Amino acid sequence: CSFNEFEGTGVFDIDRPQNSSVTLSIAAGSVDTRNSDRDAHLRSADFFDAEQYPQLTFRSTSVESRGQDDYRVTGDLSIKGVTRPVTVDFEYTGTAVDPYGNRRIGFEASARVNRKDWGLTWNAALEAGGVLVGEQVKLEFEVSAIRLTED
């Protein structure tokens, strides 16, 4: 599953990571599993309720260095009107100049969350036993950001 519409901003201070920050806004209705029926169900009130809660948001509250090229970002993740803290471990993957002359910086990250912590509780029992939807969700990020200023 991915989300096709999002935007974010960040400040990255490599010398003083505690001065860094990130904000992210994701359009709930842009969820894409490559299955239109499943996508419609995920947009419904059973899951993201995209009509009433059109945005999922993340705002960092702290950034700390965890060693060379590793950073821990803690922040508030809001889904369906519920805000809870989340910690995400990021790995700095480097900088490069793209074909358009923009200086880019890259990060990769992942975290696991329990969807029920945000009120995403819908499920269905399977005839063979168990349930259709697991509680644990793995969040994965691949970030390529363009430097806007030298500051």
Side-chain angles (χ1 to χ4, degrees):
C1 163
S2 62
F3 291 89
N4 296 325
E5 295 175 29
F6 55 88
E7 63 181 41
T9 59
V11 173
F12 180 59
D13 187 333
I14 197 164
D15 296 321
R16 293 178 303 280
Q18 68 274 13
N19 293 339
S20 302
S21 63
V22 64
T23 61
L24 177 63
S25 180
I26 301 168
S30 74
V31 65
D32 184 359
T33 66
R34 297 191 169 111
N35 179 298
S36 60
D37 290 337
R38 182 172 43 226
D39 294 348
H41 191 202
L42 288 171
R43 291 180 188 114
S44 78
D46 284 344
F47 287 96
F48 293 118
D49 198 357
E51 188 172 315
Q52 185 170 343
Y53 301 99
Q55 299 295 315
L56 292 75
T57 61
F58 177 82
R59 294 189 189 289
S60 65
T61 55
S62 70
V63 177
E64 64 180 285
S65 176
R66 304 287 290 170
Q68 186 174 355
D69 297 338
D70 293 322
Y71 298 89
R72 179 160 286 169
V73 178
T74 300
D76 294 325
L77 177 61
S78 297
I79 303 172
K80 281 183 73 170
V82 177
T83 301
R84 297 188 48 90
V86 172
T87 299
V88 182
D89 290 326
F90 280 85
E91 178 184 356
Y92 169 68
T93 57
T95 61
V97 176
D98 70 18
Y100 307 103
N102 298 309
R103 184 145 178 100
R104 291 186 173 269
I105 189 168
F107 294 93
E108 292 180 352
S110 66
R112 288 197 182 275
V113 297
N114 186 322
R115 66 185 177 86
K116 289 185 173 185
D117 291 344
W118 284 270
L120 303 173
T121 59
W122 182 90
N123 222 330
L126 298 174
E127 287 181 27
V131 291
L132 183 62
V133 183
E135 292 181 14
Q136 294 295 311
V137 176
K138 184 175 183 181
L139 307 174
E140 295 182 320
F141 304 92
E142 292 182 10
V143 178
S144 176
I146 297 172
R147 176 183 272 177
L148 295 178
T149 66
E150 294 296 321
D151 299 335

